[in-house]
Amino acid sequence: MLRPVALVLLLLAPLGASAVETLRIAIEDTGSEVRVSGKGLASGPDSEDADFTPIASGQALIRRKGERLEVNGTLVEGDSVRFRAGVSNDSAAPGTEPLKAGAAQVRGDVVVRAHHRNSLQLINVIPLEDYLAAVLGSEMPVSFPAEALKAQAVAARTYALQKKLDAYSNDFHLGSSVLHQVYGGVNREDPRTRAAVDATRGQVLTYELAPIEAYFHASCGGRTESGFDALQRSLPYLRPVDCPCGKLPASRWTATLSDADIKAALRHPAQGLKVAARTRTNRVTRVTLGDGASMDGVELRRKLGYTRLKSLDFDLERTDRGYVFTGRGYGHGAGLCQWGAKALADKGREYREILSHYYPGAELQQLY
């Protein structure tokens, strides 16, 4: 049963009877100029209640001029300018038309601001539910069962709101890459992702009436990892749980690396590489290198490559010319396992049960 959310969460939303929860997403850093276009394009200052001036051509070329910006050859006040599509006398809902900014096509508004050195930064100011529809299409296969997509929608919404709280006064709340949540804009939306978002609208996971850090990953390999061991986040709702994904082919991988590959990546001799320590869920925390030096598992994975070493749950075998890594899972292993969510949904579990399994002790609440 959903409980009403704490007042502190309600303060996240902008004021106004028709206001919706929005996020500011850094989508791209460019050079000293960028093009923005859209049907019914207009520009204005970067504020929620700004007055927008239509741009007749529907296109804007923004150039950096020192610390200021120039739009279609005219200097504007301040170091940023906000663009919105769908602004016209016959438009009932300004901002609902997508617009193109640089290489991105997005809903909502786009802020172009002077960034470090002589560059520009693009920030997408977008309603949270529109953002989530694109995140789901970027983070989880749209062919997954509806209940798995709903679980992912709640996790992604919770993660985004928690990050917004952390970065509330910053120029943006999240990035658009794997460092936060992958966000691909309009092109990543799908009717199934939109349906999952709509079905869970406003629902978030909380612990002690605050949004949790709802981390997720592709596959845990059979058992999730604790928040501390995976992310140095000692959180009561991020603890190891058994997962059905361990039986799936998608959870198994191998990587063959030559001595030359390993030496180039680690800058240490490859011969003699050994696992020195593991967590309770079998993930590697430290390795010993050929020259006696040691390295922690996270650094090893970063240096060898995340797509090569898909997780830290691996065994190591020496060959004539290098090593074979035989692993389980893909990602850090904490929180929601996406392939595990699919397996549970295939067994008839609904999204509330899935979320309760991967975030034990967290509560599902209604924010709006």
Side-chain angles (χ1 to χ4, degrees):
M1 184 173 186
L2 297 181
R3 295 175 51 193
V5 78
L7 179 60
V8 65
L9 292 182
L10 295 175
L11 297 177
L12 284 168
L15 297 177
S18 61
V20 296
E21 188 67 58
T22 62
L23 292 171
R24 295 174 66 93
I25 310 297
I27 54 174
E28 189 177 344
D29 290 350
T30 73
S32 59
E33 68 177 51
V34 67
R35 291 184 182 275
V36 177
S37 61
K39 183 179 179 181
L41 188 69
S43 66
D46 182 17
S47 67
E48 294 297 328
D49 56 355
D51 290 327
F52 285 82
T53 302
I55 298 174
S57 65
Q59 298 193 32
L61 174 62
I62 304 94
R63 287 194 172 101
R64 178 82 179 261
K65 294 293 182 181
E67 296 303 311
R68 297 182 64 183
L69 302 179
E70 181 186 85
V71 177
N72 289 342
T74 302
L75 284 173
V76 297
E77 293 295 325
D79 62 356
S80 65
V81 60
R82 187 160 170 167
F83 295 91
R84 176 175 294 172
V87 179
S88 62
N89 293 333
D90 59 353
S91 177
T96 57
E97 286 279 350
L99 53 76
K100 186 172 184 180
Q105 188 173 20
V106 297
R107 299 192 188 278
D109 297 350
V110 168
V111 176
V112 181
R113 62 183 290 263
H115 201 29
H116 56 75
R117 297 181 181 176
N118 196 39
S119 66
L120 299 171
Q121 183 179 50
L122 307 185
I123 298 171
N124 186 195
V125 185
I126 183 172
L128 172 57
E129 303 299 307
D130 288 338
Y131 164 75
L132 292 172
V135 165
L136 257 66
S138 303
E139 287 282 5
M140 178 176 272
V142 298
S143 61
F144 273 18
E147 295 303 306
L149 288 167
K150 290 177 190 177
Q152 179 66 65
V154 174
R157 183 183 294 110
T158 305
Y159 182 90
L161 286 173
Q162 195 278 326
K163 290 299 181 184
K164 179 174 180 177
L165 275 174
D166 278 353
Y168 197 73
S169 60
N170 295 350
D171 292 313
F172 62 90
H173 305 130
L174 297 99
S176 58
S177 73
V178 292
L179 296 178
H180 287 120
Q181 298 186 123
V182 179
Y183 167 60
V186 172
N187 294 333
R188 302 303 298 182
E189 294 176 6
D190 183 88
R192 288 175 56 81
T193 66
R194 178 64 69 178
V197 170
D198 290 345
T200 62
R201 181 177 176 81
Q203 294 178 19
V204 296
L205 291 162
T206 67
Y207 187 82
E208 296 182 346
L209 298 181
I212 71 168
E213 296 182 35
Y215 290 99
F216 54 87
H217 58 280
S219 169
C220 67
R223 188 163 176 79
T224 64
E225 183 60 282
S226 73
F228 180 79
D229 285 330
L231 304 158
Q232 286 69 60
R233 307 293 296 147
S234 185
L235 301 166
Y237 47 81
L238 292 181
R239 56 180 192 260
V241 299
D242 290 333
C243 177
C245 84
K247 299 178 181 179
L248 301 176
S251 290
R252 305 287 170 168
W253 56 269
T254 60
T256 301
L257 278 74
S258 69
D259 286 346
D261 289 337
I262 293 174
K263 183 177 181 180
L266 304 185
R267 299 184 182 279
H268 288 272
Q271 296 89 340
L273 179 65
K274 294 180 181 179
V275 174
R278 295 180 183 270
T279 69
R280 289 173 295 173
T281 65
N282 202 52
R283 290 169 172 88
V284 174
T285 58
R286 185 154 292 277
V287 295
T288 302
L289 304 177
D291 57 2
S294 67
M295 180 178 294
D296 70 49
V298 172
E299 185 180 6
L300 176 76
R301 187 171 174 231
R302 179 181 64 81
K303 288 188 173 184
L304 291 183
Y306 296 117
T307 56
R308 280 175 166 174
L309 225 58
K310 293 186 176 182
S311 78
L312 290 174
D313 184 0
F314 64 80
D315 297 313
L316 197 59
E317 181 182 353
R318 177 69 186 170
T319 68
D320 291 341
R321 297 183 179 180
Y323 291 87
V324 176
F325 296 78
T326 304
R328 295 153 292 276
Y330 194 169
H332 51 64
L336 176 74
C337 172
Q338 293 172 326
W339 278 93
K342 177 190 184 302
L344 290 174
D346 285 339
K347 293 178 180 180
R349 301 285 187 90
E350 56 99 38
Y351 75 97
R352 293 175 180 84
E353 295 177 277
I354 294 171
L355 292 168
S356 179
H357 180 73
Y358 290 110
Y359 303 107
E363 294 185 86
L364 186 63
Q365 299 192 25
Q366 193 79 45
L367 173 59
Y368 46 83

